Every structure is written in structure tokens, then in C-alpha cells.
Amino acid sequence: MNSFEPHITVACVVEQDGRFLFVREMSKGLEVINQPAGHAEFGETLVQAAYRETLEETAWQVEITDLLGWYIFQPHKGGGVYYRTCFVARPISHDPRQKLDTGILEAVWLTPDELRAQRDQHRSALVERCMDDYLSGRRLPLDSIYQHPWPLQRG
């Protein structure tokens, strides 16, 4: 049997006045740019995970409004496979006193052109792809994701 352990991740595209919220973070010793993103933790829904990751990495509280899409990415041959669920969110409030997650250098607002000018620093090809899908108008309703109505438990 050919089995593997997938990486279940979430991300948020957050836009305000033509600028998008990104993080500068350290990954494998390099400074990279990414959407607020991370792994879903046991027991949380994908929406909860996206909200938590955005808050922890940027100190921004957001309202998740739409599902942008699902993205499957393998960074290199033999590398892990990442299943990213990307959401659209609108910024609500920011706490500049909040300490950001370990490895996060700063949260930044960039225009699409500013992001594209730094393509060599994108954590993955999904960074620009998710922004472009947002700019194209792609939106799916949040109820496209079915969450079974009982609490998730280890079994």
C-alpha cells in the first residue's frame, strides 16, 4: 500500500483598500512571504483554524466570509503533500501589542504589484495563486464545507 501523511493547512486572503495582508516569516532559515496560514489542529474546524492562524500570525481579528478554494501542492519530488483550504476574510480589528507567532517577523500589507515584485521570496507558488484567484472574483459559500455535527474526538 502506498500511503502518506498529508499536511492539512489553511490560509486567509485578507484585502483592504487594494492591499493584501501577508506575513514575513522564517522557513528553513530563509525569510519568506506567505498569507497568514498554518496547520489545522486536532478538534478545530477549518474555519476556526484559519481564524486562529490569522490572529496568531498577524494580530488581526478577521471575519471569514467565503471559501476561496482548495489547493494541493508538493514543494519538491518526494516532499510532503499540502492540502490548503484557503478562505477570504475581511479585517475587523488589530492589536499592535499582541506578540506574533514564533517564526513570524512581521505582518505587512502589500499591493498585488508589490507582492509580484518579490516573487523569489514567496513561500510557495500558492501565495500568488490564491491572491490571483481572489482578484478574479472566485468565491464559494462557506457552507460548501460540510462539518459533521458532533465534536471531533480521537478514536
Side-chain angles (χ1 to χ4, degrees):
M1 180 172 174
N2 184 12
S3 64
F4 68 99
E5 194 169 322
H7 299 274
I8 307 301
T9 64
V10 294
C12 274
V13 171
V14 183
E15 185 262 341
Q16 181 170 264
D17 301 325
R19 293 185 170 275
F20 291 84
L21 182 60
F22 294 100
V23 296
R24 291 190 188 281
E25 63 184 335
M26 297 304 294
S27 175
K28 300 178 183 170
L30 299 173
E31 185 178 321
V32 296
I33 300 170
N34 199 7
Q35 275 95 12
H39 287 80
E41 293 181 358
F42 179 79
E44 65 185 355
T45 67
L46 295 172
V47 170
Q48 289 168 337
Y51 176 87
R52 175 187 51 76
E53 286 290 350
T54 302
L55 181 61
E56 290 175 353
E57 293 191 354
T58 69
W60 275 92
Q61 290 188 13
V62 297
E63 176 189 4
I64 296 177
T65 59
D66 300 284
L67 172 65
L68 186 63
W70 290 277
Y71 301 81
I72 302 169
F73 180 72
Q74 185 177 31
H76 53 81
K77 186 177 180 179
V81 178
Y82 292 81
Y83 293 83
R84 175 190 260 203
T85 303
C86 192
F87 295 94
V88 174
R90 70 178 186 88
I92 302 295
S93 66
H94 181 249
D95 181 357
R97 299 178 315 264
Q98 179 181 316
K99 186 178 187 315
L100 302 181
D101 235 359
T102 302
I104 303 296
L105 303 173
E106 64 178 337
V108 295
W109 291 91
L110 302 173
T111 66
D113 288 341
E114 289 169 336
L115 178 71
R116 289 184 185 106
Q118 301 173 67
R119 193 172 281 136
D120 61 327
Q121 294 178 30
H122 296 182
R123 181 160 184 163
S124 77
L126 299 183
V127 176
E128 189 171 343
R129 176 61 192 251
C130 288
M131 182 188 69
D132 287 343
D133 285 350
Y134 173 87
L135 289 170
S136 77
R138 175 184 289 181
R139 307 288 187 281
L140 298 166
L142 289 174
D143 66 3
S144 297
I145 301 172
Y146 173 74
Q147 174 72 47
H148 202 72
W150 64 70
L152 299 173
Q153 299 178 7
R154 293 191 191 272

